[in-house]
Amino acid sequence: MAILGIETSCDETACGIINLDGKVLGNVVASQINTHAPYGGIIPELASRAHLINIYKVYKQTLQESKISSKEIKAIAVTYGPGLAGSLLVGINFAKGLSMSLDVPLIGVNHLEGHIMAALIRDNKLILDLDNSFFPSLCLLISGGHTELILMKSYDKFSLIGQTRDDAVGEAYDKVSRLLGLGYPGGPIIEKMAKNFSNKNRYVLPRAWLNDSYEFSFSGLKTATMNLTNKELFSNNLNKVETQKTISDISYAFQESVFDVLFSKTTNAATEFSCKNILISGGVAANGFLRENFLSKSSFKVIFPEKQFCTDNGIMIASRGLIDYLKNKKLDENLEVTPQLNIL
Ligand code: AMP
Ligand code: MG
């Protein structure tokens, strides 16, 4: 007996299957990075088309990997939003058709709640027996489309504490990478460049504190990085070695600014809401610099998902679906695309 999770909110076509004890049985992700890389960002129309081509193959492959037959699927969990409308529609329609043919319930999952569940998967198993010694926990969600602080009061009770007013952290990484001429997706490339810094203190980029609220803003940092790049990289006649050093030092300063803001606001919120833990999820949570610094500097217990579960995947959606399934929650038979955040 198992739960199938389907995720198509952005540029990954993903399915995951877990059993009712939370054990991961199969996890397949078809990435569209090569489709979007030439444009330096995601093209929604291309994303929906690629989902349409990939979804059935990904589902079949996940079943094979799980070594179960479709008859053992007891419920289908699917991301209903937030995300790209065209991309969500592919996953939801596939899930609806499959749930009708298998005659099993359909569970709508909020993508952000899915990301949070990813931090509760250890050794390929969703931890299902957390109690009041774990909650409340504070979740920092950092991805290509989101930067949010969310209070998790139990497995299925969430409230939004603060979010970005403009760019998401991952988006800022991607845009800075593009202006430095480094490619897409930007996060892993900036991280790699920053590791080769020549001088940590060469540049200092601004931090947007926004009156110490729990709101974030990264557009100013992006502009400041662009101005610095124009001044230091493009107006000087640098040789190859100097160019690499300058790119690395700018990347380092960018990461430091991002970390300082994330760390400070997350710590303040965790303190104010008496949180027992800090969970950090989403694609940017794969970043080694952020991971090491949060783990070494925080006085809270900080929990990151395993790197494979940081970016979009079907297991996190199946996990959130399993919680609803086990609670026998009233199932939603009239799922609609909800590109905007409407649950938190
Ligand atoms: P998601 O939106 O959760 O699918 O995550 C994708 C985003 O995570 C993109 O904006 C990536 O640039 C970013 N990302 C992926 N790996 C890293 C990394 N190592 N450091 C920073 N950002 C990353
Ligand atoms: Mg995501």
Side-chain angles (χ1 to χ4, degrees):
M1 299 233 283
I3 307 286
L4 167 69
I6 298 176
E7 158 61 40
T8 65
S9 67
C10 194
D11 65 333
E12 264 104 17
T13 316
C15 288
I17 296 180
I18 58 176
N19 71 13
L20 299 193
D21 295 327
K23 186 166 180 267
V24 174
L25 303 181
N27 176 31
V28 178
V29 180
S31 164
Q32 300 176 10
I33 284 180
N34 293 338
T35 306
H36 303 288
Y39 306 97
I42 294 159
I43 308 292
E45 178 69 18
L46 295 181
S48 337
R49 286 166 189 244
H51 285 309
L52 211 47
I53 291 166
N54 290 332
I55 185 87
Y56 186 65
K57 282 187 272 186
V58 169
Y59 163 65
K60 277 296 198 193
Q61 224 177 310
T62 313
L63 269 185
Q64 267 172 15
E65 197 179 298
S66 305
K67 298 193 174 64
I68 64 164
S69 88
S70 57
K71 292 198 181 70
E72 290 169 81
I73 295 175
K74 288 295 147 213
I76 298 172
V78 62
T79 305
Y80 68 80
L84 302 171
S87 291
L88 289 163
L89 278 168
V90 177
I92 292 169
N93 277 328
F94 184 80
K96 273 191 170 180
L98 197 60
S99 82
M100 284 162 71
S101 74
L102 298 178
D103 197 21
V104 296
L106 189 61
I107 302 170
V109 170
N110 178 297
H111 180 77
L112 309 183
E113 295 183 6
H115 267 303
I116 291 167
M117 299 312 288
L120 303 181
I121 299 168
R122 278 290 163 272
D123 301 324
N124 273 330
K125 193 171 179 300
L126 175 68
I127 306 169
L128 283 167
D129 55 0
L130 298 169
D131 56 21
N132 286 341
S133 60
F134 187 85
F135 299 111
S137 283
L138 185 73
C139 312
L140 171 66
L141 183 60
I142 37 177
S143 72
H146 299 278
T147 305
E148 260 130 39
L149 278 172
I150 295 164
L151 190 63
M152 187 182 193
K153 295 169 198 154
S154 69
Y155 277 106
D156 58 355
K157 279 213 184 84
F158 302 88
S159 59
L160 185 63
I161 304 294
Q163 61 186 326
T164 182
R165 290 183 185 172
D166 39 57
D167 288 353
V169 188
E171 194 180 352
Y173 263 96
D174 293 335
K175 287 176 177 167
V176 164
S177 173
R178 192 161 60 182
L179 66 91
L180 287 168
L182 298 177
Y184 175 85
I189 314 175
I190 299 266
E191 179 182 1
K192 196 166 153 223
M193 294 307 293
K195 271 191 195 145
N196 297 324
F197 64 84
S198 69
N199 176 358
K200 280 185 183 182
N201 304 317
R202 184 162 157 207
Y203 304 121
V204 177
L205 286 162
R207 280 99 170 117
W209 296 116
L210 306 178
N211 300 324
D212 286 335
S213 68
Y214 297 135
E215 306 256 282
F216 298 91
S217 166
F218 293 101
S219 67
L221 172 61
K222 185 184 63 190
T223 308
T225 311
M226 184 175 72
N227 292 340
L228 181 66
T229 304
N230 286 338
K231 181 165 157 269
E232 296 289 310
L233 199 65
F234 299 141
S235 341
N236 295 330
N237 241 344
L238 303 181
N239 65 30
K240 218 173 158 188
V241 175
E242 288 164 343
T243 300
Q244 287 308 305
K245 278 186 180 172
T246 303
I247 291 177
S248 288
D249 290 345
I250 293 175
S251 300
Y252 190 89
F254 171 80
Q255 289 213 125
E256 273 222 307
S257 170
V258 167
F259 169 74
D260 270 1
V261 171
L262 294 179
F263 184 78
S264 169
K265 287 179 184 269
T266 305
T267 307
N268 290 348
T271 307
E272 180 179 336
F273 294 97
S274 308
C275 292
K276 313 267 174 45
N277 308 279
I278 292 173
L279 276 53
I280 307 184
S281 291
V284 183
N287 184 284
F289 178 83
L290 295 183
R291 289 171 92 100
E292 283 159 26
N293 277 289
F294 259 102
L295 289 169
S296 63
K297 293 183 178 154
S298 182
S299 53
F300 289 88
K301 181 165 186 223
V302 181
I303 302 169
F304 285 95
E306 290 166 21
K307 285 196 181 177
Q308 61 164 328
F309 296 127
C310 283
T311 40
D312 294 347
N313 62 84
I315 292 298
M316 67 188 202
I317 304 305
S319 299
R320 182 66 191 86
L322 175 61
I323 301 297
D324 280 359
Y325 182 82
L326 293 177
K327 279 193 93 176
N328 227 346
K329 199 175 151 182
K330 191 172 164 285
L331 302 168
D332 185 353
E333 285 167 4
N334 296 307
L335 285 178
E336 283 176 6
V337 179
T338 313
Q340 298 304 321
L341 192 81
N342 78 335
I343 277 197
L344 297 173

